[in-house]
Amino acid sequence: MAARGIRPRNVTIKDVAREAGVSYSTVSRVLNNYRYINPDKRQRVLDAVSHLGYVANLQARGLVGGRSRVVGLLIPDLNAQYAGQIIQGIDEELAFAEHELMLQTTHRHKNKETLFVNAVTRGMIDGLLLLLPHELESYLDVLHERQFPYVVIDHQGFDDFSPTVGVDNWHGAYAATTYLIGLGHRRIGFIAGRTDTSSAAERLAAYNAALQEAGIAFDHDLVRPGDYNQQRGNVAANSLLNLSQPPTAIFAANDQSALGVYEAVRSRGLRIPQDISVIGFDDAPLAIHVHPALTTVRQPLIEVGRNAARLLLKYVEQPDRPLERVTLPTELIIRDSCQPPMQMPTA
Amino acid sequence: MAARGIRPRNVTIKDVAREAGVSYSTVSRVLNNYRYINPDKRQRVLDAVSHLGYVANLQARGLVGGRSRVVGLLIPDLNAQYAGQIIQGIDEELAFAEHELMLQTTHRHKNKETLFVNAVTRGMIDGLLLLLPHELESYLDVLHERQFPYVVIDHQGFDDFSPTVGVDNWHGAYAATTYLIGLGHRRIGFIAGRTDTSSAAERLAAYNAALQEAGIAFDHDLVRPGDYNQQRGNVAANSLLNLSQPPTAIFAANDQSALGVYEAVRSRGLRIPQDISVIGFDDAPLAIHVHPALTTVRQPLIEVGRNAARLLLKYVEQPDRPLERVTLPTELIIRDSCQPPMQMPTA
DNA sequence: GTGAAAGCGCTAACAC
DNA sequence: GTGTTAGCGCTTTCAC
């Protein structure tokens, strides 16, 4: 068989075996930490390995053993700050477990989800992490049916069989709303998140609950659609500000949207927090950079990533282990974007 | 041989062959677009493929063919906004070429670079993209020596044999400095970037050149070390502001550092741009979000990513092709953070 | 044009 | 304990 390409031939397990004077299955055993091996031979193999600079071929190992030590991450895109932190957590945990990460953005797989899942589940990766991919549902059934290990990140309550890791959106949003109410606000605008995410639904539900608990009547006009990006946040804020009775505070379902609120407020010559209070959700890196610094709800994103990776690896180890779901706490971070309303609302 | 795991057996090329009534090498030929195939058989194979939902096992294909259709991206971490856009570009190009992306963060490989490169170059990936990894030099020699396809992103002039894709830092920084000078500034502070990057060196060189060309004497006090992050930018800005003769404008080598300048300026109760002008570099998403919107130099990051991926794939195709280097243009984006100095400097 | 068969590097029975 | 061997799924000669 002709040499493939110009590169020097890779050193394989056979080379190591020859060098160490053992059979190559012994080499394999040493490499896989098989217990009962003659210490001398083990040492000889180890020496040969380092001498030759041998590194296992992952493809071959994956092909036969069924494990590639690679996990996939399905994600819409890398734009959100949000993703970076979660990935960092995933990476940390994966490094610890000596696995690699394969990135798969979904925007590029528009019309071939099934095909894609096929590809994904075939060979290259041992498990899949799903971070808010669009069309989530189209993957879940296939994945579950095939018992392919996966974990859904930040999207709880979608079904009742998928392992998930997420944060306590409800209590975070409840704390934020309650904080605003405690400051004296009665008209609190809400800019919702991406409707296909459970986080958005939970945050809205908590907002409603807090209002109701405080005896504040629900006002449909105060809740605006959004989708977690700045542009839509800006539009929503403007429509809120255009109300004949505008809110004295706005709770944006994420920091990105809150940025849109900042824009809208500033463009009208109003001031935060004097004229209007703003609160976000995420505690993205930008939250502390904007002026005034944004009061927001912190999500432990790195921890989310770590937990997701850890949980996934457990499922890779044992595909039929019982359903496990992790919910991490959120925390209200008070900074400078909120204060009591100027004129108390007339009841 | 016992079934591995609980998952249903994958459909392989043999299943397709059986279903289509041909030999499995014919299936392989159809799948690889081999030209001379009986149209009937080709169609039968194609039908069987879609009927069975067959997808090639990448590991097996990679093992025998030497191509995995996966490329690696070596990167320090995912924190920088900067990285997200480049990765997006890489991903777009890779999607087009039907390749996958494997992420490898370097912070986790601290003391085993060589081992790592071994692993990387063995089997799993066809080529490697290097985005400002720490210890870059430790990889390059090995990679080059093995003729393993790779492209260095955003780091030109490190050696004379590595293919690179980057931006024209020099002209960008020159334009920024010249713009400030044109506004009337004579004392212009400079906050440098990570010393182990060529971009930082080029930006500093251009700053110096522009000053010299304008007949402004170089003042050592006005140039401060930085490392492309906000914290160091803040420290640098404070030391600049503490000068007995502080600058009237500060050019930060990237937007992140400029944010640190904003902080420092604000903490002293000064205003941008009235009291001091600030200019950045990158045009990161945050540049337009801060207040006042940051004047900066835009880098076509998505294009950088696209070009890098495209170039890498060329090298994968033909490892011995001649050295190619790509430099993309930068552009000064004028926003609201600069204006002429209040009091013209006394000569 | 197409089938048979070798073999990529490795793990995991199976012998001894 | 350790060597021998089959075979993972696929591409690629080599025949015909």
Side-chain angles (χ1 to χ4, degrees):
Chain A
M1 184 132 295
R4 291 197 265 60
I6 305 87
R7 304 174 216 164
R9 217 182 126 293
N10 290 329
V11 8
T12 76
I13 207 171
K14 290 188 182 175
D15 301 318
V16 176
R18 197 177 313 116
E19 171 104 1
V22 298
S23 78
Y24 75 93
S25 50
T26 298
V27 176
S28 174
R29 288 195 184 96
V30 172
L31 264 24
N32 290 288
N33 283 317
Y34 183 72
R35 274 164 305 188
Y36 312 108
I37 298 248
N38 181 319
D40 297 353
K41 294 200 176 180
R42 154 168 273 128
Q43 196 49 54
R44 290 222 304 277
V45 169
L46 261 19
D47 289 347
V49 163
S50 69
H51 177 221
L52 263 30
Y54 168 83
V55 179
N57 178 315
L58 296 179
Q59 312 220 54
R61 178 177 285 175
L63 187 56
V64 54
R67 287 283 180 78
S68 61
R69 297 189 82 81
V70 177
V71 308
L73 172 63
L74 197 60
I75 185 174
D77 61 74
L78 271 301
N79 273 327
Q81 268 291 344
Y82 165 86
Q85 293 192 59
I86 293 184
I87 296 178
Q88 191 184 328
I90 292 171
D91 182 62
E92 286 175 13
E93 198 65 31
L94 254 26
F96 178 74
E98 300 190 304
H99 280 241
E100 301 295 334
L101 214 216
M102 196 133 139
L103 211 65
Q104 347 240 186
T105 50
T106 55
H107 63 77
R108 65 192 238 186
H109 294 286
K110 281 284 189 321
N111 293 311
K112 43 175 179 167
E113 284 82 5
T114 311
L115 181 66
F116 169 70
V117 171
N118 267 305
V120 149
T121 58
R122 183 85 84 276
M124 265 321 205
I125 63 175
D126 293 340
L128 187 61
L129 258 11
L130 299 107
L131 179 49
L132 297 189
H134 292 287
E135 320 268 356
L136 178 61
E137 63 275 31
S138 66
Y139 305 106
L140 261 30
D141 289 334
V142 185
L143 254 15
H144 181 244
E145 176 205 324
R146 297 197 184 192
Q147 285 221 42
F148 187 81
Y150 71 95
V151 169
V152 177
I153 299 177
D154 199 18
H155 196 69
Q156 287 141 300
F158 188 85
D159 57 37
D160 52 8
F161 55 78
S162 295
T164 58
V165 172
V167 303
D168 192 341
N169 289 292
W170 199 93
H171 281 100
Y174 182 83
T177 313
T178 304
Y179 169 66
L180 253 16
I181 294 171
L183 247 27
H185 294 278
R186 311 295 288 176
R187 287 189 67 72
I188 301 172
F190 184 83
I191 299 176
R194 243 176 71 186
T195 52
D196 63 342
T197 65
S198 66
S199 59
E202 288 166 16
R203 292 172 199 178
L204 176 56
Y207 159 85
N208 283 145
L211 251 40
Q212 185 175 356
E213 219 164 89
I216 301 175
F218 175 76
D219 181 344
H220 185 270
D221 285 345
L222 290 179
V223 176
R224 299 286 163 168
D227 64 359
Y228 284 150
N229 77 36
Q230 178 173 2
Q231 166 96 39
R232 289 285 300 276
N234 183 265
V235 171
N238 272 314
S239 78
L240 244 20
L241 262 18
N242 281 337
L243 251 30
S244 58
Q245 255 200 85
T248 59
I250 295 180
F251 177 12
N254 75 334
D255 289 352
Q256 210 67 262
S257 304
L259 230 45
V261 179
Y262 270 52
E263 245 184 348
V265 172
R266 197 177 286 135
S267 72
R268 288 160 185 258
L270 297 175
R271 294 155 308 160
I272 300 172
Q274 293 86 341
D275 300 311
I276 186 155
S277 291
V278 179
I279 198 164
F281 203 111
D282 277 357
D283 195 25
L286 61 85
I288 205 170
H289 295 154
V290 293
H291 185 74
L294 183 67
T295 290
T296 186
V297 178
R298 173 177 299 163
Q299 310 195 59
L301 295 181
I302 292 185
E303 274 310 307
V304 167
R306 298 192 72 117
N307 275 275
R310 203 177 307 144
L311 184 57
L312 179 63
L313 260 19
K314 286 196 217 166
Y315 280 104
V316 168
E317 203 60 51
Q318 186 193 342
D320 58 345
R321 75 197 303 277
L323 180 63
E324 182 172 340
R325 294 185 156 174
V326 179
T327 301
L328 270 14
T330 49
E331 181 191 1
L332 180 65
I333 305 291
I334 296 176
R335 292 205 266 256
D336 313 323
S337 63
C338 299
Q339 70 171 45
M342 290 199 93
Q343 76 284 49
M344 291 303 282
T346 54
Chain B
M1 184 130 296
R4 290 200 266 55
I6 305 89
R7 306 173 213 165
R9 219 182 123 294
N10 290 328
V11 7
T12 76
I13 207 173
K14 292 188 181 175
D15 301 318
V16 176
R18 197 176 313 116
E19 171 104 0
V22 300
S23 77
Y24 74 92
S25 46
T26 299
V27 176
S28 174
R29 291 196 182 95
V30 171
L31 264 25
N32 290 287
N33 284 316
Y34 182 72
R35 274 165 306 189
Y36 311 109
I37 299 250
N38 181 321
D40 297 353
K41 293 199 176 179
R42 154 168 272 127
Q43 195 50 53
R44 290 221 306 276
V45 169
L46 261 20
D47 289 347
V49 163
S50 69
H51 177 220
L52 262 29
Y54 168 82
V55 179
N57 178 315
L58 296 180
Q59 312 219 53
R61 177 176 286 176
L63 188 55
V64 55
R67 287 285 180 77
S68 60
R69 297 190 81 82
V70 177
V71 308
L73 172 63
L74 196 60
I75 185 174
D77 61 74
L78 271 302
N79 273 328
Q81 270 288 347
Y82 166 86
Q85 292 190 60
I86 293 184
I87 296 178
Q88 191 185 328
I90 292 171
D91 182 63
E92 286 174 15
E93 199 64 31
L94 253 27
F96 178 74
E98 299 189 307
H99 280 241
E100 301 296 332
L101 214 216
M102 198 135 136
L103 211 64
Q104 346 242 187
T105 51
T106 55
H107 63 77
R108 66 193 238 185
H109 294 288
K110 280 284 187 321
N111 293 311
K112 43 175 180 169
E113 284 83 6
T114 311
L115 182 67
F116 169 71
V117 170
N118 267 306
V120 149
T121 57
R122 183 86 82 276
M124 264 322 204
I125 63 174
D126 293 341
L128 186 61
L129 258 11
L130 298 107
L131 180 47
L132 295 190
H134 292 288
E135 320 268 354
L136 178 60
E137 63 276 30
S138 67
Y139 305 106
L140 260 30
D141 289 334
V142 186
L143 255 16
H144 181 243
E145 175 204 323
R146 298 198 184 193
Q147 285 221 42
F148 188 82
Y150 71 94
V151 169
V152 176
I153 299 177
D154 199 18
H155 196 68
Q156 289 142 300
F158 187 84
D159 58 36
D160 53 7
F161 55 78
S162 294
T164 58
V165 173
V167 303
D168 192 340
N169 288 291
W170 200 94
H171 281 99
Y174 182 83
T177 312
T178 303
Y179 169 66
L180 252 17
I181 294 171
L183 248 27
H185 294 278
R186 311 294 288 175
R187 286 190 68 71
I188 301 173
F190 184 82
I191 299 176
R194 243 176 71 185
T195 52
D196 64 341
T197 64
S198 66
S199 59
E202 288 166 15
R203 291 171 200 179
L204 176 55
Y207 159 84
N208 282 146
L211 250 39
Q212 183 173 358
E213 217 163 273
I216 301 176
F218 175 76
D219 181 343
H220 186 269
D221 284 346
L222 290 178
V223 176
R224 299 286 162 168
D227 64 357
Y228 284 152
N229 77 36
Q230 178 172 1
Q231 166 94 41
R232 288 286 300 274
N234 183 266
V235 171
N238 273 314
S239 76
L240 245 18
L241 263 17
N242 282 337
L243 253 28
S244 58
Q245 255 198 86
T248 58
I250 295 180
F251 176 13
N254 76 333
D255 289 352
Q256 211 66 264
S257 305
L259 230 47
V261 179
Y262 269 52
E263 246 183 348
V265 172
R266 199 177 283 136
S267 72
R268 288 160 185 260
L270 298 175
R271 295 154 306 159
I272 299 171
Q274 293 86 342
D275 300 311
I276 187 156
S277 291
V278 179
I279 198 163
F281 203 111
D282 276 357
D283 196 25
L286 62 84
I288 204 168
H289 295 154
V290 292
H291 186 73
L294 182 67
T295 290
T296 187
V297 178
R298 173 177 298 163
Q299 310 195 59
L301 296 181
I302 293 186
E303 275 309 309
V304 167
R306 298 191 72 117
N307 275 276
R310 203 177 305 142
L311 184 56
L312 178 64
L313 261 18
K314 285 196 218 166
Y315 279 104
V316 168
E317 203 61 52
Q318 186 193 341
D320 58 344
R321 76 196 303 276
L323 179 63
E324 183 172 340
R325 295 186 155 173
V326 180
T327 301
L328 270 15
T330 50
E331 181 191 2
L332 179 65
I333 305 291
I334 296 176
R335 298 211 180 87
D336 312 323
S337 62
C338 298
Q339 71 172 43
M342 289 200 94
Q343 74 284 47
M344 291 304 280
T346 55

